[in-house]
Amino acid sequence: MILTMREKSDASGKKDSDDSNSNNTSVSCLQTSGISYKAYYFLFYGAIGTSVPYLALYFKQLGLSAAQAGLLHGVRLFSLFIGAPVWGMIGDKYKIRKTILFLSLLSYSAGILLLLAVKPQNQQCIETGANRTVIHPLRFPPRGGIVSSSESSASMAIDSQSPQRLNNMSHVTIFTREVDKSELGKIFMTFLSILFACQILGSVVYTMPDALVVGFLQENADKFGSLRMWGEVGVASGSFLVGGVISLYESEVCGETVKNYHISFYFFAGFVALCLVTIVFMEAKYSDDETSPRSSIWSLVKELLLCHNVIFVTLAFYLGMLMGLQDNFGLWYLDDLGAQPYMLGMASGFRYTLAILGYFTSGMIINKIGLAATLAVCLAFYAAVYMGLAFVLNPWIGVVLYSSHGTIYGLAWSACVVFGAKVSLKVGFYSVLQGILGGIHWGLGDGSGVVVSGVVINAVGVPKTYFIFSLVSLASVAVFLIANWVTKFKKKPDENGYKLIDTKEQDDL
């Protein structure tokens, strides 16, 4: 029987400590209590909270379209679908999960930070007044967001010396922002290349930590949410922090006030630097099944191809699509509704704060009603939230609806991880299995959701897009429940939800 907590091995003597090469008490304590995993989740998702929610706004500020922003976000997620299972397999085979995670985080962060180095150079602001037309070149300096050139700043200063003149001009002046579409096309392709190249190796930053936690908890994997919830604490803190800082800095550009969203990149770099340190203290456990002759990657594939498992994996894909729409265009939509930057920060922060509740209660809910009912609730909740967003007009109501889906987001992913743990305890390959699930949910599902929703938004607008996804979600609930009934994919009366099988018991089978 594989021991699930270091306390159990300590009770049997000091031999386990020697076998794990723990050279000091502090490292042992970090591994035993799971502090290293909590710290990683807090810092990594803190970095996510400081950057990813604002990437779409940054792309919008540069002049990219919703479809282009969706593709940029989608390529990062599609790379997860491609790379996560592959790097997970390498990590399992050569027992280098921590090394893979460290290199992956470096590559992932480089892909985000390099976006700051590419800026438009040929955008102009045309100011048309009653008796004159003035053209101001716009630039993107490293120390600011979109700001006017020095000549534009000087002319604005001169005009400001005459309040009456400024007031008179405000009634007749028309500001037009002129962009170089060919330049934006080149910037888009550059962003696309950077993200794809860096995210292929960086694809396991989401899934490898989950695999390490599953290996750490083993048959107690239903407690995954108690560790993963610290990621939501981090992302909420990061969102609140950056949202507040961004609201303090703004620039006057072509007749409108814009925020300096580039600030988020600097906070992202700081969180990632600290996160790299936590990987050193993590513990990587490897199951004997992963190296035994009776276990192979094909046994994992066969297990996943069982009918009830296919239904679950398909639902994980669709839940990823729903999350992709909300993650990439939720704040974009709130911005269109007139939400201020501090409101965007609050919405993002409250969303991840509520996700803490979802993760914290996930084990209890799953054990109480089972995975099938849990996922049906998630789908129904998504349908209700998206229907509300389709008709909302008040930005504060939009903030509430946007934030509320965090609870279901945490509950849904916890259910996916518990399902993966159930399968991996039968056949091994923690990293591969979590890589497959993460690639399908975070990668293929989330990426497809971003790309599809971006195209639909360009065609019919954001409100109608939410309405369409709401109707599809309602239909999905019915289809899932029928399919679940037909395949009898539900907990048995004598089971406490999906009880994980002990590896010793599995060997006896």
Side-chain angles (χ1 to χ4, degrees), residues 418-436:
V418 172
F419 167 77
K422 172 181 176 287
V423 175
S424 62
L425 282 176
K426 293 180 179 179
V427 297
F429 301 102
Y430 301 130
S431 299
V432 178
L433 195 282
Q434 292 301 329
I436 292 173

Side-chain angles (χ1 to χ4, degrees), residues 82-244:
I82 298 172
V86 175
W87 293 115
M89 186 183 303
I90 293 174
D92 286 343
K93 181 176 181 180
Y94 297 102
K95 298 185 178 181
I96 53 172
R97 291 172 184 163
K98 288 173 60 176
T99 302
I100 293 292
L101 178 57
F102 189 90
L103 295 177
S104 180
L105 184 56
L106 284 177
S107 180
Y108 180 88
S109 58
I112 298 295
L113 295 175
L114 285 174
L115 299 179
L116 193 60
V118 184
K119 301 175 290 290
Q121 302 293 332
N122 300 328
Q123 295 194 16
Q124 297 178 329
C125 176
I126 302 176
E127 181 182 339
T128 305
N131 299 314
R132 63 169 189 157
T133 298
V134 181
I135 300 178
H136 301 301
L138 301 177
R139 61 186 176 88
F140 296 75
R143 295 184 180 181
I146 307 175
V147 298
S148 300
S149 64
S150 57
E151 293 82 0
S152 175
S153 299
S155 65
M156 289 175 63
I158 295 174
D159 285 345
S160 64
Q161 295 175 2
S162 177
Q164 183 62 40
R165 178 183 176 184
L166 183 62
N167 291 335
N168 292 336
M169 288 182 60
S170 64
H171 296 290
V172 297
T173 302
I174 299 175
F175 295 93
T176 304
R177 179 176 173 178
E178 187 177 81
V179 299
D180 186 338
K181 292 185 177 180
S182 63
E183 182 189 47
L184 286 179
K186 293 178 181 178
I187 290 175
F188 168 72
M189 293 305 300
T190 302
F191 282 177
L192 200 65
S193 301
I194 290 174
L195 289 174
F196 182 78
C198 293
Q199 302 305 311
I200 284 293
L201 177 57
S203 56
V204 295
V205 290
Y206 294 98
T207 61
M208 187 66 78
D210 293 344
L212 291 172
V213 169
V214 168
F216 176 72
L217 295 174
Q218 301 273 318
E219 62 266 22
N220 294 316
D222 58 333
K223 295 180 174 60
F224 166 80
S226 64
L227 297 179
R228 178 60 177 80
M229 62 179 280
W230 288 97
E232 307 313 310
V233 176
V235 77
S237 302
S239 297
F240 273 123
L241 176 63
V242 173

Side-chain angles (χ1 to χ4, degrees), residues 480-492:
F480 171 69
L481 290 177
I482 293 172
N484 172 71
W485 178 78
V486 171
T487 59
K488 301 184 183 301
F489 181 49
K490 53 187 176 181
K491 68 175 184 177
K492 297 179 181 179

Side-chain angles (χ1 to χ4, degrees), residues 204-426:
V204 295
V205 290
Y206 294 98
T207 61
M208 187 66 78
D210 293 344
L212 291 172
V213 169
V214 168
F216 176 72
L217 295 174
Q218 301 273 318
E219 62 266 22
N220 294 316
D222 58 333
K223 295 180 174 60
F224 166 80
S226 64
L227 297 179
R228 178 60 177 80
M229 62 179 280
W230 288 97
E232 307 313 310
V233 176
V235 77
S237 302
S239 297
F240 273 123
L241 176 63
V242 173
V245 173
I246 288 178
S247 66
L248 299 176
Y249 296 91
E250 60 185 29
S251 301
E252 185 75 20
V253 178
C254 212
E256 66 175 336
T257 301
V258 298
K259 296 297 180 181
N260 298 332
Y261 292 111
H262 79 283
I263 294 173
S264 64
F265 289 88
Y266 304 131
F267 283 91
F268 172 82
F271 273 91
V272 167
L274 295 175
C275 187
L276 289 169
V277 178
T278 66
I279 299 176
V280 178
F281 298 99
M282 289 183 178
E283 179 184 14
K285 289 186 178 181
Y286 300 92
S287 170
D288 293 336
D289 291 339
E290 295 172 359
T291 56
S292 65
R294 71 180 181 86
S295 182
S296 67
I297 190 65
W298 295 113
S299 63
L300 175 60
V301 173
K302 291 178 181 178
E303 182 71 20
L304 290 177
L305 288 178
L306 294 176
C307 186
H308 56 275
N309 290 340
V310 170
I311 294 173
F312 190 98
V313 172
T314 302
L315 188 57
F317 164 77
Y318 182 67
L319 287 170
M321 288 191 67
L322 295 176
M323 187 176 62
L325 168 60
Q326 192 74 332
D327 281 351
N328 202 60
F329 296 108
L331 293 180
W332 184 310
Y333 184 44
L334 292 182
D335 186 57
D336 288 343
L337 289 176
Q340 298 298 313
Y342 75 91
M343 295 171 66
L344 300 179
M346 289 178 61
S348 184
F350 282 135
R351 175 202 168 188
Y352 293 110
T353 300
L354 289 175
I356 296 173
L357 178 63
Y359 279 114
F360 183 75
T361 60
S362 61
M364 178 186 65
I365 294 175
I366 293 171
N367 286 331
K368 185 70 175 178
I369 66 176
L371 284 175
T374 299
L375 292 172
V377 169
C378 291
L379 280 174
F381 192 89
Y382 266 119
V385 170
Y386 283 6
M387 185 65 72
L389 287 170
F391 295 98
V392 69
L393 297 176
N394 188 304
W396 280 111
I397 298 178
V399 168
V400 173
L401 292 171
Y402 176 88
S403 304
S404 63
H405 112 281
T407 303
I408 246 40
Y409 146 77
L411 183 59
W413 179 240
S414 292
C416 292
V417 172
V418 172
F419 167 77
K422 172 181 176 287
V423 175
S424 62
L425 282 176
K426 293 180 179 179

Side-chain angles (χ1 to χ4, degrees), residues 435-507:
I436 292 173
L437 281 178
I440 290 174
H441 180 77
W442 298 98
L444 185 62
D446 199 343
S448 298
V450 170
V451 173
V452 171
S453 60
V455 173
V456 176
I457 285 173
N458 268 0
V460 301
V462 181
K464 291 183 179 179
T465 301
Y466 274 120
F467 182 74
I468 292 172
F469 272 88
S470 177
L471 294 181
V472 174
S473 298
L474 287 174
S476 299
V477 174
V479 171
F480 171 69
L481 290 177
I482 293 172
N484 172 71
W485 178 78
V486 171
T487 59
K488 301 184 183 301
F489 181 49
K490 53 187 176 181
K491 68 175 184 177
K492 297 179 181 179
D494 59 339
E495 290 181 342
N496 184 20
Y498 277 85
K499 185 178 181 180
L500 300 177
I501 298 177
D502 189 276
T503 53
K504 182 177 180 181
E505 297 172 353
Q506 181 64 27
D507 290 339

